[in-house]
């Protein structure tokens, strides 16, 4: 799926949301590692990002040609500061109505409206492609993200206890959230 839209942020800066392209692969890998270093709210540590730029290019290409997939980049002053995506969890008919959603933004850009803009773009695209249900997982202590998701209509439907175990031995629960996009549901 292709997407491109300019937005003015709360602080007056311009944000460009656009579909990521194969040539963005190295920048995508760099931001994945940086955001993983900045927070414990993501699934992996920075040193666990082992994809090569070629593998990331291939992943981006598959997302780009997928009829219900979107891999979105948030650019401020031509710099990638956030990534988000929606993708069906499986190509089988019984799961085609669903899509998983993920989002990460560099910490220096939190609270500027980028998450809100990205969420709305993903929801709009999901609705255009007849996705009926968006699903995501969020660390139970990530209050800012939970608030963002709830503002967009997501509801918690389960808690996965101790889903993450950090290297220091601490655990984190993961909330499973869903947004029902069916009209009149």
């Amino acid at each position: 799926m292709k997407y491109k839209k300019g937005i003015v942020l709360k602080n007056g800066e311009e944000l460009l949301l656009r579909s990521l392209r194969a040539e963005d692969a190295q920048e995508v890998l760099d931001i994945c590692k940086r955001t993983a270093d900045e927070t414990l709210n993501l699934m992996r540590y920075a040193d666990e990002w082992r994809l090569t730029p070629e593998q990331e290019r291939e992943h981006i290409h598959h997302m780009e040609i997928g009829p219900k997939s979107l891999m979105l980049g948030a650019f401020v002053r031509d710099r990638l500061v956030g990534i988000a995506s929606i993708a069906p969890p499986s190509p089988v008919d019984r799961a085609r109505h669903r899509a998983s959603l993920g989002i990460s933004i560099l910490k220096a850009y939190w609270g500027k409206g980028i998450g809100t803009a990205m969420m709305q773009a993903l929801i709009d695209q999901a609705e255009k492609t007849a996705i009926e249900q968006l699903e995501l997982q969020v660390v139970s202590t990530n209050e800012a993200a939970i608030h963002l998701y709830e503002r967009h209509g997501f509801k918690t439907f389960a808690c996965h206890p101790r889903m993450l175990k950090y290297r220091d031995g601490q655990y984190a629960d993961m909330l499973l959230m869903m947004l029902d996009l069916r009209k009149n549901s």
Side-chain angles (χ1 to χ4, degrees):
M1 223 184 311
K2 302 255 188 207
Y3 186 90
K4 185 174 183 179
K5 183 176 182 180
I7 295 168
V8 177
L9 297 172
K10 294 182 215 179
N11 63 2
E13 282 188 288
E14 290 186 25
L15 171 71
L16 173 64
L17 295 180
R18 71 160 169 81
S19 305
L20 290 168
R21 302 182 291 248
E23 60 264 24
D24 298 316
Q26 186 60 59
E27 218 176 343
V28 169
L29 290 173
D30 292 344
I31 199 169
C32 288
K33 291 175 185 177
R34 285 190 56 203
T35 54
D37 268 342
E38 293 179 341
T39 181
L40 293 174
N41 293 328
L42 301 175
M43 188 62 73
R44 344 173 173 198
Y45 289 101
D47 63 5
E48 294 177 308
W49 280 99
R50 296 187 183 108
L51 291 178
T52 66
E54 183 54 40
Q55 289 169 321
E56 185 61 30
R57 276 191 287 282
E58 188 174 315
H59 174 67
I60 291 170
H61 174 70
H62 286 304
M63 293 289 284
E64 193 173 23
I65 63 171
K68 291 190 175 195
S69 300
L70 175 62
M71 193 166 182
L72 193 61
F75 295 84
V76 175
R77 294 183 302 280
D78 295 323
R79 180 171 175 239
L80 184 63
V81 300
I83 56 175
S85 65
I86 53 172
S90 170
V92 300
D93 284 346
R94 292 181 180 181
R96 228 170 251 173
H97 66 291
R98 301 170 37 228
S100 298
L101 184 147
I103 185 168
S104 64
I105 300 168
L106 290 173
K107 199 170 196 172
Y109 292 87
W110 290 2
K112 297 181 184 297
I114 295 171
T116 296
M118 292 176 91
M119 286 295 296
Q120 194 57 58
L122 293 176
I123 291 168
D124 290 348
Q125 289 302 105
E127 289 176 329
K128 286 180 185 174
T129 60
I131 291 172
E132 297 177 15
Q133 183 170 300
L134 286 174
E135 303 162 0
L136 61 84
Q137 300 176 44
V138 60
V139 174
S140 63
T141 56
N142 189 349
E143 293 176 14
I146 294 166
H147 180 67
L148 171 69
Y149 304 143
E150 288 175 341
R151 272 196 344 252
H152 283 89
F154 281 81
K155 306 270 190 255
T156 299
F157 68 90
C159 177
H160 191 148
R162 299 177 312 283
M163 186 168 174
L164 302 180
K165 184 176 182 181
Y166 300 118
R167 289 177 177 162
D168 67 0
Q170 297 290 318
Y171 293 94
D173 296 344
M174 197 72 86
L175 300 180
L176 284 63
M177 301 183 79
M178 182 190 81
L179 174 63
D180 189 341
L181 294 172
R182 294 173 299 162
K183 302 298 179 206
N184 304 318
S185 56

